[in-house]
Amino acid sequence: MENREPTREEVNALNGATLLEFGATWCGYCKAAQPTITSALSHFPNIRHIKIEDGKGRRLGRSFHVKLWPTLIFMKDGVELKRLVREIEATELRAALVSLSALP
């Protein structure tokens, strides 16, 4: 997880394809999803992946209205396009990554 939480302005200013992953190191759902996320992302080196430790008082998660972990937010040029929450299925994740990767 990121040591320094980026600001919403920094995230909105990112160019290109980005996957934000909100979670917590102690979260069982987050731990269970890691092999699926890692495996899927290995096929998409062009997608920036930012893991963000979320929790009470964390502004970035609140600005995205994150309520459950893990929450994956797929963005292009700072705009949210899709979101996957909690139980991340490999086929749904791969489809979202393919879609994000194919955007100009």
Side-chain angles (χ1 to χ4, degrees):
M1 300 283 169
E2 287 266 324
N3 289 334
R4 185 190 75 78
E5 179 178 296
T7 65
R8 181 64 187 255
E9 292 76 23
E10 290 171 328
V11 170
N12 289 346
L14 292 173
N15 290 320
T18 303
L19 172 62
L20 298 179
E21 177 186 345
F22 289 90
T25 54
W26 52 265
C27 168
Y29 290 101
C30 299
K31 290 178 184 179
Q34 284 313 295
T36 301
I37 295 168
T38 302
S39 175
L41 280 169
S42 71
H43 301 286
F44 298 91
N46 60 320
I47 297 177
R48 178 187 303 109
H49 177 218
I50 302 174
K51 290 178 77 166
I52 300 164
E53 180 79 20
D54 194 35
K56 187 175 183 177
R58 296 298 198 114
R59 291 186 177 160
L60 188 59
R62 302 304 65 78
S63 75
F64 279 99
H65 305 287
V66 171
K67 300 204 185 298
L68 298 172
W69 301 319
T71 293
L72 304 181
I73 298 177
F74 300 81
M75 301 181 75
K76 178 73 173 197
D77 298 330
V79 177
E80 181 177 341
L81 303 174
K82 183 166 181 66
R83 180 181 292 227
L84 297 177
V85 179
R86 182 66 47 109
E87 296 176 9
I88 308 298
E89 294 188 20
T91 55
E92 191 175 17
L93 174 56
R94 182 160 177 73
L97 291 168
V98 165
S99 178
L100 181 60
S101 183
L103 292 174

XYZ file of all heavy atoms in Angstrom:
821
model
N 0.846 -1.183 0.000
C 0.000 0.000 0.000
C 0.890 1.246 0.000
O 1.980 1.232 0.527
C -0.906 0.022 1.226
C -1.841 -1.156 1.354
S -3.235 -1.013 0.239
C -3.933 -2.629 0.388
N 0.361 2.295 -0.589
C 1.098 3.547 -0.680
C 1.375 4.099 0.718
O 0.510 4.063 1.581
C 0.272 4.595 -1.442
C 0.192 4.344 -2.915
C 1.238 5.090 -3.687
O 1.581 6.224 -3.321
O 1.718 4.515 -4.660
N 2.590 4.608 0.922
C 2.922 5.240 2.193
C 2.321 6.635 2.277
O 1.884 7.065 3.322
C 4.441 5.321 2.377
C 5.039 3.965 2.627
O 4.374 3.066 3.127
N 6.290 3.809 2.264
N 2.315 7.334 1.162
C 1.749 8.673 1.119
C 0.507 8.626 0.246
O 0.547 8.226 -0.906
C 2.752 9.657 0.520
C 2.257 11.088 0.552
C 3.133 12.022 -0.257
N 2.939 11.883 -1.695
C 1.918 12.403 -2.379
N 0.970 13.058 -1.759
N 1.842 12.255 -3.683
N -0.577 9.025 0.827
C -1.833 9.043 0.090
C -1.835 10.222 -0.878
O -1.642 11.357 -0.463
C -2.993 9.172 1.078
C -4.342 9.217 0.430
C -5.453 9.297 1.460
O -5.602 8.345 2.242
O -6.165 10.320 1.485
N -2.043 9.955 -2.177
C -2.129 11.075 -3.106
C -3.398 11.879 -2.829
O -4.355 11.373 -2.254
C -2.193 10.407 -4.481
C -2.648 9.013 -4.223
C -2.236 8.670 -2.824
N -3.383 13.110 -3.263
C -4.579 13.937 -3.115
C -5.538 13.637 -4.268
O -5.143 13.069 -5.289
C -4.228 15.440 -3.151
O -3.725 15.756 -4.458
C -3.212 15.798 -2.075
N -6.772 14.031 -4.124
C -7.748 13.847 -5.197
C -7.316 14.646 -6.426
O -7.473 14.186 -7.561
C -9.137 14.285 -4.710
C -10.242 14.110 -5.732
C -10.449 12.634 -6.077
N -11.379 12.445 -7.156
C -12.633 12.023 -7.022
N -13.107 11.736 -5.823
N -13.395 11.868 -8.062
N -6.739 15.809 -6.209
C -6.275 16.632 -7.323
C -5.168 15.912 -8.095
O -5.134 15.958 -9.330
C -5.777 17.996 -6.822
C -6.876 18.888 -6.277
C -7.355 18.485 -4.866
O -6.604 17.822 -4.121
O -8.502 18.824 -4.534
N -4.248 15.258 -7.380
C -3.171 14.504 -8.039
C -3.740 13.340 -8.846
O -3.303 13.083 -9.967
C -2.164 13.984 -7.011
C -1.330 15.065 -6.381
C -0.491 14.578 -5.212
O -0.913 13.650 -4.488
O 0.598 15.145 -5.020
N -4.711 12.642 -8.290
C -5.337 11.520 -8.987
C -6.086 12.020 -10.222
O -5.977 11.441 -11.305
C -6.278 10.732 -8.047
C -7.110 9.723 -8.818
C -5.478 10.035 -6.966
N -6.831 13.100 -10.079
C -7.585 13.650 -11.208
C -6.663 14.133 -12.330
O -7.076 14.187 -13.483
C -8.481 14.798 -10.760
C -9.648 14.321 -9.925
O -9.960 13.142 -9.861
N -10.291 15.253 -9.248
N -5.419 14.480 -12.000
C -4.468 14.991 -12.989
C -3.681 13.880 -13.692
O -2.915 14.169 -14.615
C -3.501 15.960 -12.310
N -3.860 12.622 -13.277
C -3.112 11.528 -13.895
C -3.537 11.335 -15.348
O -4.724 11.301 -15.664
C -3.345 10.225 -13.125
C -2.763 10.158 -11.720
C -3.223 8.888 -11.022
C -1.243 10.228 -11.763
N -2.549 11.199 -16.213
C -2.808 10.920 -17.620
C -2.763 9.424 -17.854
O -2.008 8.710 -17.203
C -1.776 11.608 -18.513
C -1.953 13.109 -18.527
O -3.074 13.602 -18.557
N -0.856 13.828 -18.489
N -3.578 8.960 -18.780
C -3.549 7.552 -19.156
C -4.441 6.700 -18.273
O -5.257 7.193 -17.494
N -4.249 5.386 -18.432
C -5.056 4.390 -17.727
C -4.503 4.146 -16.328
O -3.308 3.910 -16.156
C -5.073 3.088 -18.513
N -5.392 4.181 -15.340
C -5.000 3.999 -13.940
C -6.010 3.114 -13.234
O -7.218 3.262 -13.425
C -4.934 5.356 -13.210
O -4.024 6.224 -13.895
C -4.500 5.198 -11.763
N -5.495 2.218 -12.414
C -6.338 1.421 -11.528
C -6.006 1.814 -10.101
O -4.866 1.662 -9.652
C -6.088 -0.076 -11.721
C -6.768 -0.998 -10.705
C -8.281 -0.870 -10.775
C -6.334 -2.437 -10.925
N -6.989 2.367 -9.397
C -6.837 2.663 -7.973
C -7.385 1.477 -7.198
O -8.511 1.033 -7.455
C -7.627 3.916 -7.579
C -7.241 5.236 -8.232
C -8.159 6.343 -7.709
C -5.797 5.576 -7.965
N -6.605 0.977 -6.270
C -7.039 -0.136 -5.427
C -7.080 0.337 -3.981
O -6.049 0.584 -3.368
C -6.075 -1.316 -5.561
C -6.427 -2.476 -4.674
C -5.393 -3.599 -4.706
O -4.542 -3.618 -5.610
O -5.449 -4.446 -3.798
N -8.286 0.463 -3.451
C -8.462 0.860 -2.058
C -8.648 -0.385 -1.207
O -9.428 -1.275 -1.567
C -9.708 1.750 -1.903
C -9.545 3.116 -2.493
C -9.894 3.354 -3.816
C -9.047 4.153 -1.743
C -9.753 4.614 -4.368
C -8.901 5.425 -2.282
C -9.254 5.653 -3.609
N -7.950 -0.443 -0.084
C -8.083 -1.585 0.807
C -7.321 -1.344 2.094
O -6.908 -0.225 2.398
N -7.148 -2.412 2.840
C -6.398 -2.361 4.095
C -5.565 -3.639 4.204
O -6.012 -4.707 3.770
C -7.344 -2.246 5.288
N -4.383 -3.519 4.764
C -3.478 -4.668 4.849
C -4.052 -5.804 5.688
O -3.733 -6.956 5.448
C -2.113 -4.248 5.426
O -2.327 -3.590 6.682
C -1.386 -3.319 4.481
N -4.909 -5.494 6.625
C -5.480 -6.510 7.512
C -6.807 -7.080 7.005
O -7.360 -8.007 7.572
C -5.683 -5.928 8.923
C -6.449 -4.639 8.912
C -5.934 -3.374 8.906
C -7.867 -4.482 8.848
N -6.948 -2.445 8.859
C -8.154 -3.097 8.824
C -8.941 -5.371 8.823
C -9.441 -2.597 8.773
C -10.232 -4.849 8.769
C -10.462 -3.485 8.744
N -7.333 -6.544 5.909
C -8.647 -6.927 5.388
C -8.591 -8.301 4.705
O -7.828 -8.502 3.759
C -9.111 -5.859 4.398
S -10.541 -6.326 3.393
N -9.402 -9.221 5.164
C -9.441 -10.564 4.599
C -9.868 -10.589 3.145
O -9.320 -11.350 2.335
N -10.842 -9.769 2.779
C -11.289 -9.688 1.383
C -10.154 -9.172 0.487
O -9.973 -9.636 -0.634
C -12.503 -8.766 1.235
C -13.764 -9.323 1.824
C -14.215 -8.899 3.064
C -14.509 -10.277 1.136
C -15.385 -9.396 3.614
C -15.684 -10.791 1.676
C -16.115 -10.351 2.913
O -17.272 -10.854 3.457
N -9.410 -8.187 0.996
C -8.295 -7.612 0.241
C -7.203 -8.659 0.025
O -6.670 -8.794 -1.080
C -7.712 -6.411 0.974
S -8.889 -5.070 1.224
N -6.877 -9.394 1.081
C -5.856 -10.445 0.978
C -6.292 -11.517 -0.014
O -5.494 -11.984 -0.821
C -5.597 -11.065 2.341
C -4.884 -10.158 3.306
C -4.718 -10.835 4.650
C -4.103 -9.913 5.667
N -3.968 -10.554 6.983
N -7.546 -11.903 0.043
C -8.055 -12.949 -0.851
C -8.037 -12.499 -2.305
O -7.847 -13.316 -3.211
C -9.472 -13.344 -0.437
N -8.217 -11.213 -2.554
C -8.274 -10.692 -3.919
C -6.895 -10.480 -4.538
O -6.777 -10.388 -5.764
C -9.041 -9.374 -3.946
N -5.842 -10.422 -3.729
C -4.516 -10.089 -4.251
C -4.023 -11.004 -5.368
O -3.529 -10.506 -6.388
C -3.492 -10.018 -3.116
C -3.598 -8.767 -2.285
C -3.704 -7.512 -3.114
O -2.792 -7.135 -3.847
N -4.860 -6.840 -3.030
N -4.130 -12.323 -5.261
C -3.649 -13.164 -6.371
C -4.383 -12.877 -7.681
O -3.763 -12.825 -8.750
C -3.915 -14.593 -5.886
C -3.966 -14.489 -4.402
C -4.546 -13.135 -4.116
N -5.678 -12.650 -7.610
C -6.472 -12.351 -8.807
C -6.041 -11.022 -9.410
O -5.840 -10.910 -10.624
C -7.972 -12.309 -8.451
O -8.351 -13.569 -7.905
C -8.825 -11.993 -9.661
N -5.881 -10.017 -8.575
C -5.502 -8.680 -9.052
C -4.091 -8.707 -9.637
O -3.857 -8.210 -10.743
C -5.612 -7.647 -7.913
C -7.071 -7.489 -7.479
C -5.017 -6.304 -8.332
C -7.275 -6.714 -6.187
N -3.160 -9.311 -8.924
C -1.772 -9.375 -9.377
C -1.652 -10.123 -10.700
O -0.965 -9.682 -11.621
C -0.888 -10.047 -8.303
O -0.999 -9.284 -7.093
C 0.568 -10.096 -8.730
N -2.333 -11.242 -10.797
C -2.289 -12.035 -12.024
C -2.869 -11.257 -13.197
O -2.275 -11.208 -14.284
C -3.053 -13.344 -11.822
O -3.111 -14.062 -13.029
N -4.015 -10.650 -13.015
C -4.657 -9.903 -14.099
C -3.797 -8.726 -14.542
O -3.612 -8.492 -15.743
C -6.035 -9.433 -13.666
N -3.254 -7.985 -13.587
C -2.454 -6.808 -13.930
C -1.151 -7.160 -14.637
O -0.612 -6.343 -15.385
C -2.159 -5.980 -12.681
C -3.292 -5.076 -12.225
C -3.000 -4.507 -10.847
C -3.531 -3.962 -13.224
N -0.653 -8.362 -14.436
C 0.600 -8.760 -15.089
C 0.473 -8.756 -16.609
O 1.473 -8.653 -17.316
C 1.055 -10.133 -14.588
O 0.201 -11.154 -15.080
N -0.733 -8.822 -17.125
C -0.978 -8.810 -18.570
C -1.219 -7.403 -19.122
O -1.436 -7.240 -20.323
C -2.183 -9.697 -18.905
C -1.998 -11.117 -18.480
N -1.171 -11.991 -19.137
C -2.507 -11.797 -17.423
C -1.196 -13.162 -18.527
N -1.996 -13.064 -17.476
N -1.210 -6.401 -18.235
C -1.510 -5.029 -18.644
C -0.477 -4.047 -18.071
O -0.799 -3.209 -17.230
C -2.917 -4.633 -18.189
C -3.996 -5.469 -18.798
C -4.442 -6.615 -18.159
C -4.537 -5.132 -20.028
C -5.429 -7.415 -18.725
C -5.518 -5.919 -20.607
C -5.962 -7.061 -19.959
N 0.765 -4.150 -18.537
C 1.806 -3.265 -17.993
C 1.581 -1.790 -18.307
O 2.182 -0.924 -17.669
C 3.087 -3.781 -18.653
C 2.627 -4.461 -19.898
C 1.270 -5.025 -19.578
N 0.694 -1.492 -19.253
C 0.412 -0.110 -19.614
C -0.566 0.573 -18.657
O -0.793 1.767 -18.756
C -0.154 -0.039 -21.039
C -1.451 -0.832 -21.177
O -1.586 -1.916 -20.619
N -2.399 -0.303 -21.921
N -1.127 -0.181 -17.732
C -2.073 0.392 -16.770
C -1.358 0.677 -15.454
O -0.792 -0.233 -14.831
C -3.283 -0.538 -16.551
C -4.063 -0.696 -17.859
C -4.181 0.000 -15.433
C -5.231 -1.649 -17.777
N -1.385 1.923 -15.038
C -0.793 2.332 -13.761
C -1.652 1.762 -12.636
O -2.874 1.866 -12.669
C -0.778 3.866 -13.688
C -0.242 4.433 -12.400
C -0.417 5.953 -12.328
N 0.207 6.657 -13.424
C -0.461 7.272 -14.410
N -1.778 7.294 -14.425
N 0.180 7.889 -15.376
N -1.011 1.160 -11.634
C -1.723 0.563 -10.505
C -1.273 1.260 -9.229
O -0.086 1.254 -8.895
C -1.414 -0.943 -10.436
C -2.033 -1.633 -9.278
N -1.379 -2.626 -8.587
C -3.245 -1.496 -8.676
C -2.168 -3.076 -7.626
N -3.300 -2.395 -7.662
N -2.214 1.855 -8.530
C -1.901 2.546 -7.278
C -2.718 1.901 -6.164
O -3.950 1.930 -6.189
C -2.230 4.050 -7.367
C -1.468 4.693 -8.523
C -1.904 4.739 -6.048
C -1.845 6.140 -8.787
N -2.002 1.294 -5.211
C -2.652 0.698 -4.043
C -2.705 1.747 -2.942
O -1.696 2.375 -2.640
C -1.874 -0.523 -3.553
C -1.965 -1.691 -4.497
C -1.152 -2.867 -4.010
C -1.875 -3.565 -2.899
N -1.334 -4.888 -2.592
N -3.881 1.912 -2.367
C -4.072 2.944 -1.356
C -4.644 2.321 -0.091
O -5.714 1.714 -0.112
C -5.011 4.048 -1.880
C -4.387 4.677 -3.129
C -5.276 5.087 -0.810
C -5.336 5.481 -3.948
N -3.906 2.474 0.995
C -4.371 2.041 2.311
C -5.519 2.959 2.707
O -5.358 4.179 2.796
C -3.234 2.125 3.327
C -3.599 1.698 4.713
C -3.641 0.185 4.913
O -3.040 -0.552 4.122
O -4.293 -0.241 5.885
N -6.679 2.376 2.914
C -7.870 3.167 3.202
C -8.290 2.942 4.646
O -7.865 1.998 5.290
C -9.001 2.767 2.243
C -10.151 3.751 2.254
O -9.897 4.962 2.413
O -11.292 3.313 2.091
N -9.141 3.790 5.132
C -9.654 3.655 6.488
C -10.241 4.961 6.967
O -10.299 5.954 6.230
N -10.664 4.953 8.197
C -11.284 6.126 8.804
C -10.338 7.328 8.705
O -9.155 7.219 9.013
C -11.601 5.831 10.257
C -12.389 6.904 10.936
C -12.779 6.517 12.334
C -13.641 7.601 12.947
N -14.107 7.232 14.268
N -10.896 8.439 8.265
C -10.118 9.664 8.174
C -9.263 9.784 6.922
O -8.574 10.785 6.751
N -9.295 8.788 6.050
C -8.512 8.855 4.818
C -9.324 9.600 3.763
O -10.364 9.139 3.317
C -8.149 7.459 4.317
C -7.261 6.676 5.247
C -5.918 7.419 5.412
N -4.921 6.521 5.927
C -3.844 6.132 5.249
N -3.622 6.559 4.037
N -2.991 5.308 5.798
N -8.840 10.751 3.388
C -9.604 11.663 2.534
C -9.838 11.137 1.126
O -10.909 11.347 0.558
C -8.912 13.012 2.470
C -8.985 13.738 3.776
C -8.418 15.115 3.656
N -8.582 15.782 4.934
C -7.894 16.822 5.296
N -6.997 17.335 4.481
N -8.094 17.379 6.472
N -8.839 10.486 0.539
C -9.007 10.056 -0.845
C -10.131 9.029 -0.967
O -10.984 9.133 -1.846
C -7.697 9.493 -1.411
C -7.731 9.187 -2.905
C -8.059 10.418 -3.725
C -6.394 8.598 -3.340
N -10.140 8.061 -0.083
C -11.217 7.070 -0.088
C -12.577 7.694 0.111
O -13.559 7.316 -0.525
N -12.650 8.676 0.994
C -13.930 9.341 1.232
C -14.367 10.133 0.004
O -15.549 10.205 -0.314
C -13.855 10.277 2.444
C -13.461 9.659 3.791
C -14.296 8.495 4.325
N -14.297 7.280 3.585
C -13.321 6.337 3.582
N -12.244 6.473 4.300
N -13.436 5.239 2.868
N -13.396 10.742 -0.689
C -13.755 11.540 -1.861
C -14.312 10.664 -2.985
O -15.089 11.132 -3.808
C -12.557 12.352 -2.363
O -11.630 11.542 -3.042
N -13.940 9.376 -2.991
C -14.474 8.423 -3.966
C -15.659 7.629 -3.394
O -16.147 6.716 -4.034
C -13.384 7.448 -4.421
C -12.476 7.999 -5.482
C -11.232 8.505 -5.159
C -12.876 8.006 -6.805
C -10.387 9.003 -6.136
C -12.039 8.503 -7.796
C -10.789 9.004 -7.457
N -16.075 7.954 -2.191
C -17.197 7.280 -1.528
C -16.956 5.773 -1.383
O -17.883 4.981 -1.559
C -18.518 7.546 -2.252
C -18.802 9.002 -2.420
N -19.193 9.802 -1.370
C -18.718 9.813 -3.503
C -19.338 11.042 -1.801
N -19.054 11.081 -3.082
N -15.718 5.406 -1.067
C -15.377 4.002 -0.851
C -15.971 3.568 0.480
O -15.764 4.210 1.508
C -13.841 3.795 -0.857
C -13.473 2.391 -0.423
C -13.280 4.113 -2.236
N -16.717 2.465 0.450
C -17.355 1.958 1.665
C -16.938 0.529 1.985
O -16.980 0.118 3.132
C -18.869 2.038 1.526
C -19.359 3.460 1.308
C -20.777 3.631 1.743
C -21.316 4.991 1.438
N -20.681 6.099 2.050
N -16.591 -0.253 0.964
C -16.175 -1.644 1.150
C -14.814 -1.861 0.504
O -14.462 -1.185 -0.464
C -17.202 -2.604 0.527
C -18.607 -2.576 1.109
C -19.539 -3.423 0.254
C -18.603 -3.079 2.541
N -14.088 -2.841 1.014
C -12.773 -3.177 0.465
C -12.774 -4.593 -0.065
O -13.490 -5.429 0.464
C -11.706 -3.066 1.527
C -11.576 -1.730 2.160
C -11.643 -0.505 1.557
C -11.335 -1.474 3.537
N -11.465 0.496 2.480
C -11.275 -0.087 3.715
C -11.157 -2.279 4.657
C -11.038 0.513 4.940
C -10.928 -1.687 5.870
C -10.872 -0.301 6.011
N -11.948 -4.878 -1.031
C -11.271 -3.891 -1.851
C -12.246 -3.209 -2.798
O -13.252 -3.780 -3.189
C -10.252 -4.717 -2.644
C -10.859 -6.076 -2.732
C -11.652 -6.256 -1.462
N -11.921 -1.976 -3.129
C -12.635 -1.246 -4.170
C -11.614 -0.918 -5.244
O -10.582 -0.308 -4.954
C -13.282 0.040 -3.635
O -14.330 -0.308 -2.730
C -13.858 0.891 -4.752
N -11.903 -1.346 -6.465
C -11.041 -1.066 -7.605
C -11.733 -0.022 -8.471
O -12.879 -0.210 -8.883
C -10.796 -2.327 -8.430
C -10.226 -3.532 -7.694
C -10.031 -4.692 -8.666
C -8.928 -3.189 -7.002
N -11.028 1.081 -8.725
C -11.584 2.149 -9.538
C -10.719 2.280 -10.791
O -9.520 2.517 -10.704
C -11.651 3.476 -8.759
C -12.576 3.304 -7.544
C -12.123 4.610 -9.659
C -12.683 4.504 -6.646
N -11.357 2.104 -11.931
C -10.694 2.158 -13.226
C -10.865 3.565 -13.777
O -11.991 4.039 -13.933
C -11.313 1.133 -14.179
C -11.201 -0.268 -13.665
C -12.097 -0.757 -12.725
C -10.183 -1.105 -14.105
C -11.995 -2.046 -12.230
C -10.073 -2.399 -13.619
C -10.972 -2.869 -12.678
N -9.733 4.223 -14.066
C -9.767 5.615 -14.507
C -8.977 5.802 -15.794
O -7.993 5.107 -16.026
C -9.180 6.520 -13.423
C -9.913 6.441 -12.097
S -9.217 7.543 -10.869
C -9.834 9.104 -11.467
N -9.406 6.761 -16.581
C -8.672 7.179 -17.777
C -8.591 8.697 -17.741
O -9.625 9.378 -17.665
C -9.404 6.698 -19.037
C -8.749 7.109 -20.334
C -7.483 6.324 -20.587
C -6.975 6.644 -21.976
N -6.029 5.687 -22.449
N -7.357 9.206 -17.740
C -7.123 10.657 -17.700
C -7.884 11.330 -16.564
O -8.494 12.387 -16.734
C -7.483 11.292 -19.042
C -6.609 10.761 -20.179
O -5.444 10.397 -19.913
O -7.101 10.699 -21.316
N -7.882 10.686 -15.381
C -8.489 11.270 -14.197
C -9.991 11.136 -14.078
O -10.590 11.679 -13.159
N -10.606 10.382 -14.993
C -12.059 10.217 -14.973
C -12.395 8.757 -14.644
O -11.890 7.840 -15.290
C -12.678 10.595 -16.347
C -14.177 10.345 -16.353
C -12.370 12.046 -16.679
N -13.250 8.564 -13.646
C -13.671 7.213 -13.285
C -14.571 6.631 -14.370
O -15.544 7.254 -14.783
C -14.426 7.212 -11.950
C -14.864 5.839 -11.525
C -15.553 5.778 -10.177
O -15.408 6.726 -9.374
O -16.236 4.775 -9.932
N -14.229 5.399 -14.801
C -14.999 4.724 -15.834
C -15.759 3.519 -15.311
O -16.831 3.194 -15.810
C -14.075 4.270 -16.964
C -13.252 5.366 -17.627
C -12.275 4.765 -18.615
C -14.159 6.380 -18.293
N -15.185 2.839 -14.336
C -15.788 1.612 -13.819
C -15.279 1.392 -12.404
O -14.224 1.882 -12.026
C -15.429 0.426 -14.708
C -16.080 -0.882 -14.257
C -15.974 -1.945 -15.328
C -16.625 -3.235 -14.931
N -18.059 -3.200 -14.777
N -16.033 0.571 -11.667
C -15.676 0.259 -10.285
C -16.065 -1.182 -9.988
O -17.154 -1.618 -10.356
C -16.454 1.225 -9.388
C -16.253 1.086 -7.933
C -17.105 2.098 -7.180
N -16.648 3.452 -7.401
C -16.467 4.363 -6.458
N -16.739 4.068 -5.216
N -16.054 5.572 -6.751
N -15.165 -1.900 -9.342
C -15.456 -3.244 -8.838
C -15.279 -3.210 -7.330
O -14.308 -2.644 -6.829
C -14.522 -4.290 -9.452
C -14.601 -4.497 -10.962
C -13.552 -5.518 -11.413
C -15.984 -4.927 -11.382
N -16.210 -3.833 -6.617
C -16.191 -3.753 -5.159
C -16.306 -5.136 -4.535
O -17.099 -5.964 -4.973
C -17.359 -2.859 -4.660
C -17.380 -2.777 -3.143
C -17.269 -1.476 -5.270
N -15.481 -5.344 -3.502
C -15.480 -6.491 -2.596
C -15.018 -7.773 -3.250
O -13.846 -7.971 -3.427
C -16.835 -6.607 -1.912
C -17.040 -7.699 -0.894
C -16.291 -7.705 0.424
N -16.150 -6.587 1.262
C -16.722 -6.374 2.426
N -17.612 -7.216 2.886
N -16.425 -5.347 3.142
N -15.902 -8.650 -3.614
C -15.488 -9.948 -4.145
C -15.161 -9.802 -5.626
O -16.041 -9.753 -6.467
C -16.581 -10.975 -3.889
C -16.786 -11.204 -2.395
C -17.916 -12.147 -2.082
O -18.462 -12.779 -3.002
O -18.266 -12.252 -0.901
N -13.872 -9.741 -5.912
C -13.393 -9.463 -7.259
C -13.264 -10.776 -8.031
O -12.499 -11.658 -7.653
C -12.018 -8.754 -7.214
C -12.051 -7.530 -6.293
C -11.536 -8.412 -8.603
C -12.998 -6.440 -6.684
N -14.029 -10.894 -9.103
C -13.977 -12.089 -9.940
C -12.997 -11.862 -11.082
O -12.973 -10.790 -11.687
C -15.357 -12.417 -10.490
C -16.333 -12.822 -9.400
C -17.633 -13.335 -9.971
O -17.659 -13.734 -11.150
O -18.618 -13.331 -9.226
N -12.208 -12.886 -11.398
C -11.154 -12.778 -12.397
C -11.687 -12.365 -13.768
O -11.089 -11.510 -14.436
C -10.388 -14.093 -12.499
N -12.799 -12.935 -14.193
C -13.322 -12.617 -15.527
C -13.805 -11.171 -15.614
O -13.568 -10.493 -16.615
C -14.471 -13.572 -15.924
O -15.479 -13.543 -14.913
C -13.986 -14.984 -16.104
N -14.453 -10.708 -14.571
C -14.938 -9.328 -14.552
C -13.765 -8.340 -14.493
O -13.771 -7.309 -15.171
C -15.872 -9.127 -13.357
C -16.637 -7.840 -13.386
C -17.637 -7.712 -12.251
O -17.546 -8.447 -11.250
O -18.517 -6.854 -12.381
N -12.745 -8.677 -13.707
C -11.569 -7.828 -13.604
C -10.844 -7.763 -14.944
O -10.485 -6.687 -15.416
C -10.634 -8.357 -12.514
C -9.282 -7.655 -12.374
C -9.448 -6.161 -12.141
C -8.476 -8.299 -11.263
N -10.647 -8.919 -15.560
C -9.952 -8.949 -16.854
C -10.731 -8.139 -17.905
O -10.142 -7.388 -18.672
C -9.750 -10.377 -17.321
C -8.989 -10.455 -18.639
C -8.361 -11.808 -18.865
N -7.698 -11.910 -20.134
C -6.553 -11.352 -20.467
N -5.919 -10.613 -19.589
N -6.016 -11.501 -21.657
N -12.038 -8.273 -17.953
C -12.850 -7.527 -18.911
C -12.702 -6.022 -18.695
O -12.602 -5.255 -19.660
C -14.312 -7.947 -18.805
N -12.684 -5.595 -17.451
C -12.531 -4.171 -17.144
C -11.150 -3.674 -17.563
O -11.018 -2.567 -18.110
C -12.761 -3.920 -15.662
N -10.130 -4.481 -17.337
C -8.768 -4.102 -17.736
C -8.623 -4.053 -19.259
O -7.979 -3.155 -19.802
C -7.739 -5.058 -17.124
C -7.581 -4.956 -15.603
C -6.769 -6.120 -15.063
C -6.950 -3.626 -15.216
N -9.219 -5.003 -19.951
C -9.193 -5.015 -21.420
C -9.864 -3.751 -21.944
O -9.340 -3.065 -22.835
C -9.879 -6.282 -21.987
C -10.175 -6.134 -23.473
C -9.020 -7.504 -21.731
N -11.015 -3.428 -21.400
C -11.759 -2.246 -21.817
C -10.943 -0.974 -21.563
O -10.850 -0.102 -22.437
C -13.086 -2.191 -21.077
O -13.802 -1.045 -21.418
N -10.359 -0.861 -20.397
C -9.561 0.313 -20.040
C -8.332 0.418 -20.934
O -7.975 1.493 -21.413
C -9.155 0.245 -18.567
C -8.331 1.405 -18.024
C -9.084 2.718 -18.143
C -7.947 1.134 -16.576
N -7.689 -0.700 -21.178
C -6.481 -0.730 -21.986
C -6.744 -0.360 -23.442
O -5.892 0.198 -24.126
C -5.866 -2.132 -21.917
O -4.675 -2.181 -22.627
N -7.944 -0.657 -23.932
C -8.278 -0.415 -25.330
C -8.644 1.032 -25.629
O -8.693 1.425 -26.782
C -9.442 -1.327 -25.735
N -8.888 1.816 -24.594
C -9.279 3.211 -24.812
C -8.112 4.012 -25.356
O -6.968 3.825 -24.944
C -9.765 3.838 -23.500
C -11.072 3.295 -22.949
C -11.347 3.887 -21.587
C -12.215 3.597 -23.902
N -8.394 4.930 -26.290
C -7.319 5.754 -26.882
C -6.751 6.737 -25.875
O -7.318 7.097 -24.924
C -8.000 6.482 -28.027
C -9.455 6.407 -27.764
C -9.686 5.238 -26.861
